[in-house]
Amino acid sequence: MPDFCYGSVMRSGAIPFKFDLVDLLTRARRQVSGRIGDVTLNLPFVSIAVSPKDRERTIAREIVVRLKDRRVLSAWECCDDCINRALASLQDVRQTLVDKQVELSDAQDGALYLLIDAMLIGIRQFLTFEEFLTRSDVARPHPRLREFHRPPDTRQAYFDGLEVLRGHLSRCLGQIATVAGMETPKDGLIANYQGP
């Protein structure tokens, strides 16, 4: 398999799964109720004012630097190999986020911990969706290449699901940059994923 894919794949715009963030948003409202802060974070359906501690700002900057160039956040998939690389990259992102939550284990009521949790919830829900795709379609050997590949409808579901996840992670990463006090480009840290 080549190291680089040059194919172009159209995204269908389908939303193959939806994030369930109700518990997280309820917790966010409860944690920050009545607080006055110097930074406003915008989560779905709620804006919260927070005052990040210096340690949170430092860890937030590290998260942004480590994650903004990860393959799963900045690449478009065009084939099974690209999907596999995106999934491996997603596991690296997950590990980084869990490590940072461990560092913040004594500050679980802070905004940064909440944002990391939002990213991890999205990743877990995507991985559950991915497990469903893996179980529902058995990979078939390609007639010429003699390697396994995903059926076209399953591949498209991966493309669309990764786009949904990429948008969620990008928006969360933008809010983490806000906690860090970092300037963000108008089109977002990850190009083309700024917005609602």
Side-chain angles (χ1 to χ4, degrees):
M1 188 58 80
D3 287 340
F4 300 100
C5 293
Y6 299 102
S8 176
V9 176
M10 293 295 293
R11 300 302 184 257
S12 71
I15 300 175
F17 75 100
K18 293 183 181 179
F19 296 110
D20 180 0
L21 299 174
V22 173
D23 291 341
L24 178 95
L25 294 175
T26 301
R27 193 172 78 222
R29 283 190 184 114
R30 191 173 48 244
Q31 282 179 307
V32 298
S33 178
R35 288 188 191 178
I36 297 175
D38 56 339
V39 175
T40 300
L41 301 179
N42 297 303
L43 300 171
F45 310 111
V46 65
S47 293
I48 55 177
V50 298
S51 294
K53 297 178 173 97
D54 288 341
R55 185 163 155 249
E56 283 181 301
R57 288 183 190 277
T58 300
I59 292 172
R61 277 190 292 277
E62 184 181 340
I63 290 170
V64 170
V65 169
R66 287 185 182 275
L67 297 189
K68 73 179 183 176
D69 288 326
R70 289 296 174 120
R71 178 180 187 15
V72 72
L73 296 177
S74 60
W76 278 44
E77 298 74 28
C78 65
C79 65
D80 286 340
D81 189 50
C82 288
I83 292 170
N84 293 338
R85 289 176 192 228
L87 293 173
S89 176
L90 184 60
Q91 290 296 346
D92 291 342
V93 168
R94 183 182 191 189
Q95 187 61 55
T96 298
L97 293 172
V98 168
D99 290 346
K100 294 305 160 192
Q101 267 195 328
V102 169
E103 285 184 43
L104 290 166
S105 61
D106 60 339
Q108 293 182 23
D109 62 341
L112 182 57
Y113 193 93
L114 189 73
L115 289 167
I116 293 170
D117 215 19
M119 293 178 83
L120 287 171
I121 287 169
I123 291 171
R124 279 192 299 272
Q125 291 176 7
F126 173 80
L127 291 175
T128 299
F129 168 71
E130 193 269 336
E131 287 172 5
F132 168 76
L133 288 177
T134 302
R135 282 191 310 255
S136 66
D137 277 320
V138 177
R140 300 176 199 121
H142 190 279
R144 288 176 302 168
L145 301 177
R146 294 184 187 163
E147 59 187 43
F148 289 92
H149 76 285
R150 295 168 180 93
D153 57 333
T154 301
R155 191 177 307 118
Q156 188 64 50
Y158 272 101
F159 296 154
D160 293 334
L162 283 165
E163 281 298 295
V164 170
L165 178 64
R166 194 172 283 125
H168 171 73
L169 295 177
S170 177
R171 286 186 286 281
C172 289
L173 195 57
Q175 294 303 296
I176 289 175
T178 300
V179 169
M182 298 172 78
E183 291 288 324
T184 58
K186 290 200 183 297
D187 64 344
L189 283 171
I190 313 299
N192 303 318
Y193 292 98
Q194 185 69 15

